[in-house]
Amino acid sequence: MREVYQEQLGVLADELASMSTMVGTAMERATKALLEADLALAEQVLDEDVQVDETRARVEEHAFGLLALQAPVAGDLRTVISAIHAAEDLERMGDLALHVAKAARRRHPNAVLPNDVQPYFAEMGRIAVKLAGRVHTVIRTQDVEAARGLEEDDDEMDDLHRHLFTVLMSPEWSHGVAAAVDVTLLGRFYERFADHAVSVARRVVFVVTGKMPTS
């Protein structure tokens, strides 16, 4: 019976790892669609978002089934509850990639971003994809130090996000209000994507140590 139960916990981990891969791929494609005004790629992100939603639904179904039928305690209970919360964070990461893709589609065939801010978003996209990959690894390995290491990448994302505001507030900004709004919103999407990735990593730390990191 215990072996079966551990297999069911393993299914939860598999599904969360799969979600992390899906949202990383979604953000990679959404970023490329944003930078290259690629409508087909943006549409692909929109079409595939349902897979993320369906996987979250499966995670919740499995997790609630374990809570109802197995009445887990201690570490197992932490694992099940954390899986529910992590699935929520991962779905939100998928939604944020979706928002980026929608921006690319909305402005097509025009580019969303002025040329002088495109390098910032290329780098923010790179960091976002890296974070999603590291989340996948942390879910698989439950490596506490690796989980804590995501904070550094999040700091890098925060630095880029803050720098965007200096660009927007510069007297040299000549692209108008609409472009400024787009840049502000898109920057926020990437920043929140990173925050949710860190949240998943913190839940892994909680599962392993029994303590939720506060910073």
Side-chain angles (χ1 to χ4, degrees):
M1 182 65 70
R2 182 64 182 173
E3 289 181 2
V4 172
Y5 182 60
Q6 289 302 313
E7 287 177 3
Q8 291 173 326
L9 292 178
V11 169
L12 285 178
D14 289 343
E15 290 172 331
L16 292 173
S18 177
M19 287 184 75
S20 66
T21 298
M22 285 189 281
V23 300
T25 299
M27 185 55 93
E28 183 174 30
R29 290 172 175 165
T31 300
K32 185 173 182 180
L34 182 71
L35 296 173
E36 300 179 7
D38 189 325
L39 180 61
L41 205 54
E43 294 285 3
Q44 184 177 2
V45 175
L46 271 62
D47 291 342
E48 293 180 354
D49 183 63
V50 66
Q51 298 174 17
V52 178
D53 297 339
E54 290 173 347
T55 307
R56 180 194 174 177
R58 288 198 301 273
V59 169
E60 291 187 339
E61 181 181 355
H62 291 157
F64 287 129
L66 289 171
L67 289 174
L69 300 176
Q70 303 292 342
V73 296
D76 289 345
L77 180 59
R78 291 200 303 270
T79 298
V80 175
I81 296 298
S82 294
I84 295 171
H85 288 295
E88 180 181 0
D89 282 311
L90 289 162
E91 183 189 33
R92 185 58 185 148
M93 290 166 71
D95 290 341
L96 290 161
L98 187 71
H99 293 334
V100 173
K102 284 182 176 179
R105 183 180 67 173
R106 184 172 62 252
R107 297 299 189 200
H108 186 80
N110 299 317
V112 180
L113 301 172
N115 289 336
D116 49 353
V117 297
Q118 286 195 14
Y120 296 106
F121 283 91
E123 182 63 8
M124 291 172 85
R126 184 193 67 79
I127 295 169
V129 174
K130 178 182 177 182
L131 279 164
R134 294 187 70 177
V135 165
H136 181 278
T137 299
V138 165
I139 290 170
R140 287 296 192 191
T141 64
Q142 294 199 329
D143 185 327
V144 171
E145 290 307 312
R148 290 173 174 155
L150 268 74
E151 303 276 356
E152 295 179 5
D153 292 315
D154 183 47
D155 289 343
E156 191 176 356
M157 182 74 84
D158 289 340
D159 288 343
L160 284 166
H161 185 235
R162 282 191 293 268
H163 190 69
L164 277 176
F165 284 100
T166 67
V167 174
L168 292 172
M169 298 301 292
S170 170
E172 297 178 5
W173 179 261
S174 61
H175 306 292
V177 174
V181 170
D182 282 338
V183 169
T184 300
L185 288 175
L186 286 162
R188 180 62 171 164
F189 296 154
Y190 284 92
E191 189 256 347
R192 290 299 297 152
F193 187 98
D195 287 346
H196 284 288
V198 170
S199 179
V200 176
R202 287 176 175 174
R203 296 194 184 283
V204 172
V205 174
F206 174 64
V207 167
V208 176
T209 68
K211 296 180 181 180
M212 178 66 80
T214 57
S215 63

